[in-house]
Amino acid sequence: MTAADPLASAGQDRWAEATQLRLTWWRFRRHRLAVISLVIIALFYLIAAFADFLSINDPHATDARRSFIPPQAIHFFDENGFNPHVYGLRGVRDRQTFQLVYTPDPNRKLPVQLFTRGYTYNLLGLIETDIHLIGVTGAQRGEGIFLLGTDQLGRDLFSRMIVATRVSLFIGLAGVTLSLVLGVLLGGISGLYGGWVDTVIQRVIEVLRSIPTIPLWMGLAAALPNSWSTLQVYFAITIIISLIGWTDLARVVRGRFLALREEDFVVAAELAGASQGRIIFRHMLPSFMSHVIAAVSLALPAMIVSETALSFLGLGLRPPAVSWGILLQDAQNIQVLSGAPWLLSAAVPVILVILAFNFLGDGLRDAADPYG
Amino acid sequence: MNILDVVDLKKHYPIHAGLLRREIGRVRAVDGVSFHIAKGETLALVGESGCGKTTVSRCILRALAPTSGSMHFSLAEGQSVDLAALPKRALRPLRRHMQMIFQDPYSSLNPRMMVGDIIAEPLKVNGVPAAERNARVLELLELVQMPASARSRFPHAFSGGQRQRIGIARALALNPRLIVADEPVSALDVSVQAQIINLLLDLQDRLGLSMLFVAHDLSVVRHVSDRVAVMYVGRIVEIAPTDALYRSPRHPYTETLLAAVPAPDPTLRGRRMKATGEVADPSRPPPGCAFHPRCPYAVERCRVERPELTEIAPGRFTSCHRAGEIELAGVTG
């Protein structure tokens, strides 16, 4: 007998009274890769939330004098000990290509400082400020910290990538939220009522899924009026992406509803005289919420990749909006790439986030049903 | 007084085929079953897998809608309703009077709810106030011999037998007039089976339960039931008081089932009869007596004419043409 057992340790007691969330967490914790991924994703969202604070230079500021500056390193020590600085730049005309090549000038040191003043922005959309995490003092025009170099128009790639994180990650979230609403609603109706409603919804899903996505997106994106503002395009793209995305979630939800309807504990609640609402919200929803969360974490990277692909093809967001896809668009040209390969580094966060989300989704899916 | 009067209950599942979903046949899962359960009595419903006994129990609880027939359920002295005729909505207030004990103690308890909430759920949905609910949960836990500390634990902390006790406590929560136990012990270990059977016997004594006890073999039934109904392919082939049925079965199928009861006597091994062949397909039952392909006593008449359930002695019904001629072996002791 569990409770009367004098040998029952405190640990066992904790286990006996653990809620589903607890059990899921305990099981999730064992999945190392997923936990690391969770940390990475959390970091990325933190970066997105404080993008302007973290960016060094104005991501939209162009300057012809500093185009295609290669990545610069921050030097932490010099002959005087700890003294973080970057080198100033000296433009030298290449005798063969006649291109202006920037070389670091070790004689000019620009001290790097924390919490410097830069361009003005709204912190979290609330507080207007011009404080940035790092910056240099005493920079002449065209100088600054370019950790990942600059693009053709002289915009700082590092700052642009940080600001792009915000757009790219939140378009994923917004798209998934919309898909989730559609998916849970339609999947729920489908699984709960069955019959012809189910048939109609399932056929719609099949038709939607049978359309090749890229041409569909291209068609829809091409239909967006040119006169729309960046913000309007942003929302339209979100809707377009989630239009396909909801089908997967709807299937998951429907499947769970169908399976749970036959489950003994649901029958028991029905036989006890519980109302339909109670059965759905007290018994069925909590039973498959974890599956939905896992499905969402697997749907998110697909959304992010969709946005990146669309923007890369020039069908998604348009400049001056900054997203990973738009940054990669600059890296389309092989001539540009041969001269400025650092532009390709915009692919790194995409790969990192997608991998992290996939591992997280895997971990969540394994932990989702701690009773199975 | 009868708690439940079931008359000619049928549950057919149509088989559809083709583009137009035309009905091409029917699975006669339950095909004209009649029986009654008196107040305070336990009726066992026994048969092999697929004979329709679970369908009968689900129909009575209206987890399934019967195809035809009537099921009169008495609510109070001289007042009864036909469960078969009521729409689902009208059933909800009646649900509290009949509760179910499930076969699988694992899937029948919501793993996301604490045991206390599981047991209290029938009380809660029927509007019992919170303070009363708590007291009742404690009372019920004691009744099924579980510690009070079980309340704040989740089902995953309990073994199969303990979970089944929780399931029983939930079924008893509202003091139902009828309990339908769908193979309550067949998913449990033999040693635990005995505990649960003893608990049910104890509850019968203390609460005067009326119960429909569904089982797939006769070994556990003997201890709990007052009468036994044997089902085969959607029909009842024999009903008799438990002792009489065990001592002298009047249907060859009952004899077969009795022979399958393990006997603690090795000398009996030689003369046991075995059931040969498979249970008939309820969508294409054989003509005549459904049991004739497996029956060692079958004659020509059994192959063509279907026997009806007839009373051959007071309280004893059987549907066998040769009930009066053949001598069938029961179990003694």
Side-chain angles (χ1 to χ4, degrees), chain B residues 56-240:
Chain B
V56 168
S57 64
R58 302 258 161 156
C59 279
I60 290 169
L61 292 160
R62 279 297 302 272
L64 290 171
T67 309
S68 69
S70 72
M71 306 181 290
H72 282 278
F73 181 68
S74 107
L75 293 172
E77 209 65 49
Q79 185 198 349
S80 75
V81 283
D82 182 6
L83 297 172
L86 286 175
K88 260 205 145 152
R89 193 175 295 273
L91 276 164
R92 257 183 73 196
L94 296 178
R95 295 237 184 256
R96 59 176 307 159
H97 299 299
M98 33 182 186
Q99 288 292 304
M100 179 160 183
I101 300 170
F102 290 85
Q103 175 176 9
D104 182 355
Y106 288 88
S107 70
S108 61
L109 305 179
N110 187 343
R112 286 149 193 91
M113 286 168 78
M114 282 191 284
V115 167
D117 293 336
I118 291 174
I119 298 174
E121 176 157 51
L123 301 165
K124 190 172 180 183
V125 299
N126 285 286
V128 177
E132 228 171 289
R133 282 207 300 269
N134 284 336
R136 180 79 179 131
V137 167
L138 287 177
E139 195 182 311
L140 286 162
L141 281 173
E142 203 197 317
L143 201 63
V144 297
Q145 293 149 31
M146 290 280 285
S149 64
R151 263 191 316 170
S152 56
R153 294 177 169 224
F154 286 87
H156 65 249
F158 298 97
S159 67
Q162 289 170 324
R163 282 164 179 249
Q164 200 57 296
R165 287 169 194 271
I166 296 164
I168 292 170
R170 172 177 63 188
L172 294 173
L174 289 162
N175 280 322
R177 297 175 66 78
L178 176 69
I179 287 201
V180 175
D182 184 11
E183 306 206 29
V185 296
S186 39
L188 305 174
D189 290 344
V190 178
S191 58
V192 183
Q193 278 189 2
Q195 289 175 21
I196 297 294
I197 293 285
N198 285 335
L199 174 67
L200 287 173
L201 286 172
D202 180 44
L203 293 172
Q204 276 176 347
D205 278 353
R206 286 166 70 173
L207 307 173
L209 294 178
S210 310
M211 186 153 65
L212 179 68
F213 189 99
V214 178
H216 64 245
D217 65 61
L218 281 165
S219 56
V220 292
V221 158
R222 187 166 200 181
H223 309 285
V224 276
S225 63
D226 301 305
R227 287 187 304 133
V228 179
V230 180
M231 267 188 93
Y232 189 75
V233 197
R235 290 164 164 271
I236 289 181
V237 294
E238 181 168 5
I239 303 185

Side-chain angles (χ1 to χ4, degrees), chain A residues 324-339:
Chain A
W324 289 337
I326 286 176
L327 292 183
L328 281 171
Q329 214 181 346
D330 289 341
Q332 270 181 353
N333 189 332
I334 188 74
Q335 266 176 327
V336 172
L337 261 187
S338 67

Side-chain angles (χ1 to χ4, degrees), chain A residues 54-71:
Chain A
L54 293 171
S55 73
I56 301 164
N57 302 295
D58 185 347
H60 300 291
T62 58
D63 187 343
R65 284 173 53 113
R66 59 179 200 207
S67 74
F68 293 134
I69 296 175

